[in-house]
Structure formats: structure tokens, C-alpha cells
Amino acid sequence: MSEELQALSAADAAAAIAKGDLGRGELFEHYRARAASDELNAFTWVAESMPDSVDGPLGGVPIAVKDLFCTEGIPSQAGSKILAGYCPPYTATAVANLEAAGAPILGKTNQDEFAMGSSNENSAYGPVQNPWDRSRVPGGSSGGSAAAVAAGLAPWALGTDTGGSIRQPAALCGIVGLKPTYGAVSRYGMIAFASSLDSAGPLTRNVTDAALFYRHLVGRDSADATSVSFPEPIALPTSERLDGITLAVPAALVDGDGIEAGVRDSFEAALESARGLGATVVSCEIPSAPYALSAYYVIAPAEASSNLARFDGVRYGLRVDATNLDAMYTETRHDGFGDEVKRRILIGTYALSSGYYDAYYGRAQRVRTVVASELSAIFQTADFIVTPTSPTVAFGLGERTADPLAMYLSDLFTIPMSLAGTPAISIPSGLSDGLPVGLQICGPAFSENRILGAAHALERAIGFDGSSAWSAL
Amino acid sequence: MAGHELEPVIGLEIHVQLRTATKMFCGCALGFGEPPNTRTCPVCLGLPGALPVANAEAIHYGLMIGMALDSELAPVSTFHRKNYFYPDLPKGYQISQFDLPLCSGGKLGKVNIHRVHLEEDAAKLNHAGASGRIEGADSSIVDFNRGGTPLAEIVTEPELRSAEQVGEWLRLLRTTLRTLGVSDVNMEEGSLRCDANISLRPTGSDQLGTKTELKNMNSFRFIERGIRAEVERQRALIEEGESVTQETLHFDPKTESITSLRSKEEAHDYRYFPEPDLPPVVITEAMLARAAAELPELPAAREQRYIDELSLSPESARLFAWRAELADYFDAVRASEASLEPQQAANWVTELQGRLGDQEAVDSNVTAASLAKLASMVASATINQGGAKQVLDQLVEHGGEPEAIVAAEGLEAVGGADELAPIVAEALDANPELTERLRGGDMKPIGVIVGEVMKQTRGRADGKEVTALVRQQLGLS
Ligand SMILES: [Zn+2]
């Protein structure tokens, strides 16, 4: 029975529960037991029993939730020592929406501290192992969520994407990850990294699960002034063809150095599949792309340096007692934050300093505007922009920790969409030497239904099977 | 340089707590002395993940203030983060406004306004220990009830020239805000707080000297005394050939001493940047129309109306219009005795206020009805000026009804030839020598005779009438 249970996608499981073929408690306990015996360090907290779940369209299919979402009475530590043991008094809107649709919380998942990282090695709670190869990283920052879904420890998971933190780990773990249009999902209760970039979205086994999950995630929230109501209902995708669809490939970006041959091969094969489904593939240019990474690494740290100021030892989380106020602040933040977080706070503080603001933050914002207008121009003639999600497959644990700049390059293909606030999905395009490769499909704002449709058609044509990564039953 | 050549240059930054139902960026009701930390939520406690949502009513109040101050209202206004660490600031930044404030420019009275912007108030710190400050405190505790209260910060141009002028202008501003109904404007309770930027320069120069900032003075008297003390401190420094240091200062009204809070070197770099959690505020025609429709009669208009419609002297009109409570009291006096000449009513209100100091007439023992009665008794010559002032003294002291006091004290005016003539004759008879001099055309002693009559009547006679009777009885007129 457990093999059959495990083989069900989340959407299938929800349907089986709705029909009465499957008990909610049975499904929950199956995944609870698997999450509890997690050997990948994907979970930071696992529920002890099924919470009182409500009837709803998600039928009781449990969710794994990235640690940085506030969950009432449940540890919400954002991968940081400074929030060790912190249990918030309220639940994030995104999580509350899923719970209200009938998805109980299975556990909280590991992540890079405050979502800063591309390998999940920046977690105060230890690195996460990639289920495809345990000597490799799962990607980040939603590494725990991606590894949990890929290893079959959770039916699906909630993550966040600031510069690629859903898409890149989804790619490295061989699952589907959707980064929404900025504002489509409420950020209320998400422990902020970079407010103008943070987006919450699903990590799932397949595209249909992503659509079902996303349907219950979107919506205007009066508690988030930057949230907007999604202009149409999210449909479950049915497309099997790509006739009349134009895919634009940013040639200079994709042909650049640093992209692995195996990744390029898998990407080319995916384009071939798309042509086979009736799509037209054209070349395009994002001239500002080389500057996008730099702009991102100014804007995100600038906002983070301010967002993380509240971790001061006064009201919650870690406090290191000292003889005076300044020493208490200094010691608390010295002990509570990890190296990457400190690095970004320093970069961000510098970028916002009087006399440097225009040269860094001001200029980065102008780059951001240019990136957005270049993407928008491409969408005048093409339906989607497609790229590999990550230039490389999963790299070895510890391989890039000494070189932050090499680590930052992991987000080369995902950052332009983050800066533009446009939606993008990563789906598996195949394997390279036994490791998953991701394909990114990006469309204009609020084009999620069309993106999910195209992703669904390609998913069927590619026929990727991730079940070999499942942990032993 | 000599002291008389220096003039003070003073600019003000006024923080006004807006009287909205809820806080600036969350749904908590404003605190009014509840137990600590009972008016809080994840947003105003700065909990992880919480987000601000701008209070539309606070923006509406801001627009009303801008209109009342004749400011230019921004079509699009943005919030910024002002970053610094302090335990009363839970997020590590204050949401304020920077380069696109809600209101720019403007004028109130003769003072130009630089800008008006919206922001959130800090929480309240209480320090245990002898120092009373965070340095050296045994412990400090924070009450977040006040944190997040909407504030309008009003910044003037540096155009004020004296402590007295500051006091007078602040009263006008307070009256304006109170009339608008946007704030309790109570300095003692902190809903109106004032910082002053002060420098000195040679009179007539257009250069600005080094300024100091005098922080958080919480009454009109302290503000005037603080500014006076700081002006004198700077004057002494300059006259001794020393220079003024740019710093933030605290005035202690108990000791009249000025101490430094921090120097320019210790000043924060606030790292302002646009608040990414709040979209820009777009000011619509509907918002402007609503603010305009809710504007009440403002002090300048009231002043003009008192002059045009009631023929008040410009001095009386301004005195009242710039102090709404006094103007309301004046209106109540007039309403109570419709036949009163407005200027006479005004004179008695002014007379009363002169005896009350900082107390408002409406809070005194003297009701508007009793003052109106007193004024009309004078107008009908039932009582003379001197007697009325004695009655007023008693009203201020104990309250009560003027007629009862007049009756009890026997203060009715003694008037008319029938009553006064015998008393005048008696006074002349009692002073034959002076009477002779008066008959001879030497009018100097007439005051002594009148004084004698006033003494006999215990001040109840009318001086002019007595003089006329003296002249009549001596055949001089
Ligand atoms: Zn609140």
C-alpha cells in the first residue's frame, strides 16, 4: 500500500481522498513517518500528529513549509540561529490560505539562513543533501523544500524565490518550482529577505500539482499592501501541444561561459521537444542581463540590511547579554547571524550609505527598470523566454562555499525575472550524468496559466521520472 | 562682535500625533493610558514577517493639514525607511517620508512652511535606576502601545526670530490643528511635540550660523524658556570669540540647564530608501475633494470675520482667532447676551484672560454667561468699571453669579445728580482751601476731590460724572 500511496501525485491523492478511496489520516501518517525519518536534513520540524484539518479542495494532502513562513506556535527560524526556537503568534497568509483549502502542515523545511544562498549550506541547522547524490547540494535557498519533495518525504512544499530560490533548487532536485508574478501571493508572515523581490510559490512533483497548489496560494491580502488580486482563476493545465507558441532563447546568455555541456545538451533537447510539439524557437537578446546579477546583489542586500535590523535581541530570538545597549546589539547579531548574512548586511548597509546611494542603490534600480523593459519588449513578439534554470547541475557540498561570487552565478538565469517581477517555472528537462537539469519558462506578469499550460505540454513530451530519487520506503 | 548685532534664527520641527482610530500602519487602536503592551500586534511589535499597511485616515488628515497650511499637495507621495537601532523602534527603522512628502511649502501666519510629512511614532521607554536615561539604567522596559501612532511632522523655514514669536506662532499652529480636529494637540501628553533649530547671525546677514537642535520640549513655557536659554548660551559663546558646535541638546526646565545629547560626529546615517513594503500613495481628486469639504473655518478666516462682521479691533480679532478656545469662549459670551457690543464683550474676555495666565477661560470659574452678565451690567451702568473688576476678581476666585456678588458687596453704581450731588457738596465743604483754588481756575486739586467722592462711594461712582458735578457745583462749566 505504501508504494501505491507514494506513487500518487498530490493532485491524485486529493482526488482519491475526495472519492473516499484514501483516508486523510493514512496519507498524513505515511508522509509524517517519512519526514520523521528524513536523513537529508530537509526538515527542521515535523508534526507529531495530524492537525485538525478542514474539508477543502486540497483534501488533506499535507504541505511541507519553508522555515521562514511564520506558523503559529510552530518553530519558524528562517534557517537562522538568531531565531532559534522562535514560535510566532500568528500564521503567514500563504500558509493560512493553504490550510483553509484543506492542506495541513506536515513540517517545516530547512533553508539557507534568511533565504540567502544557492546551496542550502548557509543554514544554521546544517546543510541539506541532494537525494540524487548525497554528496551534493540540493540548491537553495528553498533546499529543504526541494529535497523533501524530490525524496518523496512530502507530497509538495511551499518555498520562496527572491533571485531563484524556488526555481534553482527545483532544477537541481528534478522537480517543478513556480515563482509567481510579484504580488500575486501575499508576503504577510514571510520572514523578509528582500521585500521588493520575495515571492512565495510551490515546489511539486509535477506541473498539475503546481497549478492546484498555486490556485489556493494566490489572492489579494489586505495585510500586504503590495499584493494584488490575480486577474483570473488558476486552471489545471491540459495543454498537450505548443502550436503557435513562440519560445525566445536569450542566445548570448545561454551560449556564455560557465554553462555546463550537459546542461546545454539537455536544454537543446528540450527545445527540440518543443519544436516537436509545434512551437517556434527564436533567438532574443537581454542586453542588460550581464548587469542584472550585479543590480540584484545591490538591491537584495540593501533591503535585507534593513529587514534584518529587527533582529536586535530586544523582543524575541537570541539575546546575548552585555554591559550596555550597543554591546548587546553587537554581540547578539555577531553570534546570531551567519557569515553570508553578515556579508550581505555589510554590502547592503554600504550601498545605502549617504554618498553612495546613487552610485549603488540608485543605479541598481535603474538597471532593474531596464531589465523589466527589455523582457517586456521580448514578450511583444514571443510568448515565453526559455533558458536552462541553472548553468550547472547540483554541485558538491562545500565546493563553492569559499567563493561567494561563483555561488552567486548559480542565479544568472533566474535573476532577470526576479528583478522584473515576472513569473517563471522550472521543470525537469532530463538528466546529465545522473543529475537533474531544469528548464526555465518565463512569461509576462500574470501569465501563470499560460506558463503552466506550456510546462504541462513539455512535461508530457519530456517524460521525466523522478521516482528514483525517492528515499527507501 | 557686539551682542546687540546678533539675531536668533529659529526653525521648528513639530510632531503632531494624529487622532485617527487606528495606528499608522496596523489595525491597533491608539493607546490612551492602557496597561503596557496591550495595544499591539505583529506589525507594531515589528515581529518577523509582519508588513505595514498605510492608514487612509492618516493620509486624509495629512491632506487637511496641508490644505490648512496652504501647502502644495503631492500627486504621488512615497514612504521611506529611516534606519537606526533603538529599543523603542521595533523594526530597526522608522517608516517616514523623504523626498516625496505629502505636503511641500506653505504658510501659516507670517511663517513659511518647509514641508509636512507622515510617519510613525516610537514606543515609550522607561528606565529603571537613578540616571533616568538608558545610559546607566539598571534596566529599561518598553511599552509599545504608543509605537506606530500616526504622526504628522511639520517643518518650518528658519524664519522665527525670538522665543516669544515661537510661542505665539505655536499657539496659532495648535489652534489650527485643533480646529481641524486632526489631533488632541496636548503638549503635556505629548500629542504636540516641538524641536527647535537655533542659530545666531549678525542682524541683517543672509548667512546662517552653526545651528543646534533643542529636542522635545513639552510645554509652551518650556519652549520659550529653552529657546531663550539656548540663544543666550550661543550669544555668550560668540561674544567670547568661541564657536558654536553643531549638536543635539536637551533643555532641563527644572535647572534651566542645557546638556548635549549627541554631537554631529555621532549623528546617524539614516540610510533612507523607499519603503518596498508600501506602494506609492496616489492622491486622487476624490481624496482632495473630501479633505477640502471637511475643512472648518481656519484662524485667518475667523480673524477676518471678527473684524468685518463684529468690528472687533485687529488686536482682539487676532488674539481670539489664534487661540480657538478663547474665541469659542468669546462667542459663548456674545451668545449669552445678544445685546452686548462685541468689542465690549471682547474687552471683558481679554480682561478675564489677563487674570488667568496659562489657564483657559473655559476651564476657569467664570462661566461665559456670568461674564456676559457682568459686561451687560457695566453697559447698562448698573455697575461701574471699578466695581465690575472687583466682581470679576471674585468670580475668578470663587465663581458664582455677578448679580449676587454685586448685591452682597453693595457694589451697585452710585449715579445721577440725586445720589451724587450731596456727596460732592460734602467733599467740597470738607476741603475749603482746595475749593478756593478750583474756583480760582487752578484745576490741579480736582483729582483730590474726585478721589474723596470715590472713597465715600467705595469706588461705585463714575469718575467722569463726579468731575462733571464738581465743575457744575463750582459754576465752572
Ligand atoms: Zn499594531
Side-chain angles (χ1 to χ4, degrees):
Chain A
M1 184 59 200
S2 74
E3 282 86 353
E4 287 168 40
L5 255 186
Q6 183 67 31
L8 291 174
S9 70
D12 290 343
I17 290 169
K19 267 201 285 178
D21 295 346
L22 176 61
R24 245 183 241 182
E26 191 186 354
L27 182 73
F28 190 91
E29 184 50 34
H30 169 81
Y31 280 107
R32 199 205 65 76
R34 286 178 64 71
S37 58
D38 159 37
E39 293 175 348
L40 305 171
N41 197 28
F43 285 89
T44 52
W45 178 88
V46 176
E48 290 187 353
S49 58
M50 185 167 80
D52 297 333
S53 69
V54 296
D55 283 323
L58 297 182
V61 180
I63 47 169
V65 175
K66 189 176 184 179
D67 197 18
L68 61 67
F69 286 92
C70 287
T71 42
E72 186 179 344
I74 295 173
S76 305
Q77 310 166 125
S80 182
K81 182 182 169 188
I82 211 162
L83 281 175
Y86 173 68
C87 294
Y90 76 106
T91 294
T93 303
V95 178
N97 285 350
L98 293 168
E99 286 182 310
I105 299 173
L106 172 68
K108 299 293 288 286
T109 52
N110 206 340
Q111 59 165 102
D112 283 302
E113 184 177 5
F114 291 109
M116 297 178 190
S118 308
S119 69
N120 215 116
E121 291 165 296
N122 298 331
S123 170
Y125 303 95
V128 177
Q129 296 170 4
N130 189 316
W132 292 84
D133 176 346
R134 295 200 179 184
S135 70
R136 292 176 189 264
V137 304
S141 65
S142 309
S145 289
V149 174
L153 307 178
W156 47 15
L158 179 60
T160 62
D161 191 312
T162 305
S165 281
I166 286 175
R167 291 162 287 165
Q168 187 257 13
L172 270 47
C173 288
I175 60 168
V176 172
L178 174 67
K179 180 206 101 76
T181 303
Y182 180 79
V185 179
S186 169
R187 291 183 295 115
Y188 189 74
M190 262 170 67
I191 299 176
F193 163 18
S195 312
S196 73
L197 297 157
D198 292 344
S199 312
L203 293 106
T204 57
R205 244 186 241 180
N206 64 39
V207 174
T208 302
D209 283 0
L212 179 61
F213 191 108
Y214 189 55
R215 176 189 282 175
H216 299 290
L217 203 53
V218 295
R220 157 98 182 122
D221 178 9
S222 60
D224 176 0
T226 63
S227 74
V228 289
S229 75
F230 206 85
E232 60 191 12
I234 301 300
L236 297 189
T238 54
S239 304
E240 297 178 9
R241 298 280 304 167
L242 294 175
D243 297 307
I245 299 290
T246 304
L247 305 178
V249 178
L253 195 60
V254 169
D255 295 341
D257 297 338
I259 180 164
E260 289 177 354
V263 169
R264 184 171 291 138
D265 292 347
S266 181
F267 179 62
E268 292 298 340
L271 293 181
E272 206 43 51
S273 298
R275 287 191 194 94
L277 295 174
T280 308
V281 177
V282 299
S283 176
C284 70
E285 295 301 332
I286 310 175
S288 63
Y291 307 105
L293 196 67
S294 309
Y296 174 85
Y297 278 99
V298 169
I299 293 169
E303 293 180 5
S305 70
S306 176
N307 284 334
L308 269 53
R310 67 187 61 196
F311 303 105
D312 58 5
V314 173
R315 285 142 300 136
Y316 44 76
L318 181 73
R319 176 193 291 174
V320 178
D321 285 321
T323 50
N324 63 57
L325 180 65
D326 279 343
M328 190 278 279
Y329 284 152
T330 307
E331 295 301 321
T332 297
R333 291 166 67 80
H334 175 273
D335 287 6
F337 290 139
D339 286 349
E340 183 62 26
V341 171
K342 284 177 191 155
R343 180 180 296 120
R344 296 201 197 186
I345 289 173
L346 285 173
I347 292 171
T349 302
Y350 183 82
L352 291 175
S353 297
S354 155
Y356 297 97
Y357 179 92
D358 285 335
Y360 292 101
Y361 191 78
R363 188 178 293 187
Q365 288 291 11
R366 289 194 289 279
V367 170
R368 183 175 191 171
T369 308
V370 172
V371 170
S373 65
E374 287 177 2
L375 294 192
S376 165
I378 293 168
F379 292 133
Q380 298 298 308
T381 55
D383 295 284
F384 305 111
I385 296 168
V386 291
T387 71
T389 307
S390 163
T392 69
V393 295
F395 44 91
L397 283 160
E399 201 176 286
R400 294 190 183 178
T401 44
D403 187 354
L405 290 180
M407 189 76 91
Y408 295 172
L409 284 172
S410 299
D411 299 329
L412 188 63
F413 298 143
T414 51
I415 275 177
M417 297 77 195
S418 296
L419 289 178
T422 49
I425 199 168
S426 177
I427 61 169
S429 61
L431 296 176
S432 165
D433 287 336
L435 292 168
V437 177
L439 170 72
Q440 176 177 233
I441 307 169
C442 164
F446 303 108
S447 67
E448 277 89 328
N449 274 325
R450 292 197 291 116
I451 290 177
L452 287 160
H456 181 259
L458 271 167
E459 177 182 59
R460 282 174 55 88
I462 292 167
F464 182 82
D465 178 5
S467 63
S468 62
W470 293 347
S471 305
L473 291 169
Chain B
M1 67 191 84
H4 65 271
E5 291 173 350
L6 292 170
E7 68 170 1
V9 177
I10 305 164
L12 303 177
E13 288 175 18
I14 301 106
H15 289 92
V16 184
Q17 282 185 340
L18 301 180
R19 198 169 57 187
T20 46
T22 56
K23 291 185 179 180
M24 187 67 219
F25 296 113
C26 66
C28 291
L30 298 194
F32 286 100
E34 290 77 13
N37 296 311
T38 53
R39 294 266 165 114
T40 61
C41 72
V43 178
C44 59
L45 287 174
L47 295 191
L51 296 173
V53 176
N55 182 335
E57 207 57 17
I59 292 166
H60 170 62
Y61 282 178
L63 291 175
M64 286 177 70
I65 292 172
M67 285 178 175
L69 301 184
D70 235 344
S71 296
E72 196 176 311
L73 305 176
V76 176
S77 185
T78 57
F79 288 102
H80 270 60
R81 290 188 186 176
K82 180 181 182 180
N83 295 282
Y84 64 98
F85 286 94
Y86 211 63
D88 63 7
L89 192 67
K91 299 185 295 295
Y93 54 85
Q94 179 194 33
I95 304 177
S96 180
Q97 297 198 277
F98 186 58
D99 56 354
L100 289 172
L102 195 61
C103 321
S104 302
K107 193 167 195 174
L108 180 68
K110 288 203 172 72
V111 177
N112 283 300
I113 304 295
H114 179 60
R115 61 186 272 159
V116 182
H117 72 248
L118 297 177
E119 59 187 29
E120 55 180 341
D121 207 348
K124 219 179 168 82
L125 277 172
N126 295 291
H127 307 296
S131 72
R133 295 176 49 182
I134 201 160
E135 294 82 11
D138 297 331
S139 66
S140 299
I141 51 176
V142 198
D143 175 7
F144 288 96
N145 285 358
R146 192 184 72 178
T149 299
L151 291 180
E153 180 174 330
I154 300 167
V155 184
T156 74
E157 296 294 351
E159 295 178 345
L160 292 138
R161 294 289 175 264
S162 70
E164 295 69 28
Q165 214 184 344
V166 167
E168 186 192 33
W169 187 81
L170 274 178
R171 283 180 199 280
L172 171 61
L173 177 68
R174 185 176 67 160
T175 281
T176 303
L177 296 169
R178 178 167 290 175
T179 308
L180 289 173
V182 298
S183 171
D184 292 335
V185 286
N186 185 320
M187 294 201 81
E188 282 72 18
E189 288 169 13
S191 53
L192 181 71
R193 308 196 288 268
C194 182
D195 303 339
N197 289 303
I198 303 164
S199 63
L200 294 186
R201 69 177 175 196
T203 304
S205 162
D206 55 4
Q207 304 287 309
L208 290 174
T210 304
K211 68 176 180 187
T212 58
E213 186 179 15
L214 205 52
K215 276 284 199 195
N216 270 335
M217 295 166 289
N218 66 353
S219 82
F220 284 105
R221 268 183 312 142
F222 293 167
I223 287 171
E224 292 188 31
R225 279 163 53 192
I227 290 175
R228 228 171 268 135
E230 174 56 11
V231 165
E232 287 320 307
R233 190 188 70 89
Q234 288 192 19
R235 194 187 297 277
L237 279 175
I238 293 169
E239 284 173 354
E240 282 163 28
E242 293 176 41
S243 57
V244 175
T245 312
Q246 186 175 337
E247 58 191 336
T248 304
L249 303 170
H250 171 75
F251 173 70
D252 182 348
K254 285 195 203 98
T255 60
E256 298 271 330
S257 68
I258 289 176
T259 49
S260 180
L261 289 175
R262 61 175 176 266
S263 70
K264 189 187 177 189
E265 287 71 34
E266 296 166 276
H268 300 288
D269 177 355
Y270 290 120
R271 291 173 283 121
Y272 278 101
F273 75 104
E275 165 58 287
D277 289 330
L278 292 169
V281 179
V282 177
I283 307 302
T284 62
E285 286 302 320
M287 289 161 79
L288 293 174
R290 183 183 159 216
E294 290 181 16
L295 277 189
E297 183 190 47
L298 294 167
R302 196 172 199 176
E303 182 180 339
Q304 202 55 50
R305 178 167 59 83
Y306 281 164
I307 293 171
D308 293 347
E309 294 179 12
L310 304 182
S311 304
L312 287 196
S313 69
E315 295 74 24
S316 297
R318 165 160 298 197
L319 174 70
F320 296 162
W322 285 28
R323 281 180 80 162
E325 304 92 334
L326 200 55
D328 292 344
Y329 186 86
F330 165 68
D331 288 347
V333 168
R334 285 182 43 246
S336 178
E337 294 281 344
S339 62
L340 267 181
E341 278 289 319
Q343 187 61 53
Q344 283 181 350
N347 292 346
W348 280 104
V349 172
T350 309
E351 181 76 29
L352 169 63
Q353 189 62 56
R355 287 157 204 245
L356 295 177
D358 271 357
Q359 193 190 25
E360 292 298 340
V362 69
D363 299 329
S364 75
N365 290 328
V366 189
T367 64
S370 59
L371 191 71
K373 188 75 212 168
L374 184 63
S376 67
M377 287 166 78
V378 176
S380 64
T382 312
I383 183 171
N384 70 11
Q385 290 279 343
K389 287 179 181 176
Q390 291 179 50
V391 175
L392 186 59
D393 288 339
Q394 296 229 17
L395 286 172
V396 168
E397 197 68 28
H398 308 294
E401 295 301 324
E403 286 145 311
I405 295 168
V406 167
E409 302 282 324
L411 290 170
E412 299 90 348
V414 179
D418 289 355
E419 256 188 289
L420 272 182
I423 303 170
V424 171
E426 210 174 294
L428 290 172
D429 285 352
N431 294 284
E433 196 184 320
L434 298 179
T435 305
E436 269 319 300
R437 282 171 61 187
L438 288 168
R439 277 193 219 279
D442 174 7
M443 295 308 289
K444 274 178 208 143
I446 196 164
V448 180
I449 300 298
V450 173
E452 187 65 26
V453 175
M454 296 307 269
K455 198 168 150 194
Q456 291 301 317
T457 60
R458 287 182 296 127
R460 294 173 297 150
D462 180 71
K464 275 188 203 145
E465 195 181 1
V466 175
T467 305
L469 281 172
V470 172
R471 289 175 158 272
Q472 190 190 1
Q473 292 192 9
L474 297 176
L476 293 171
S477 45

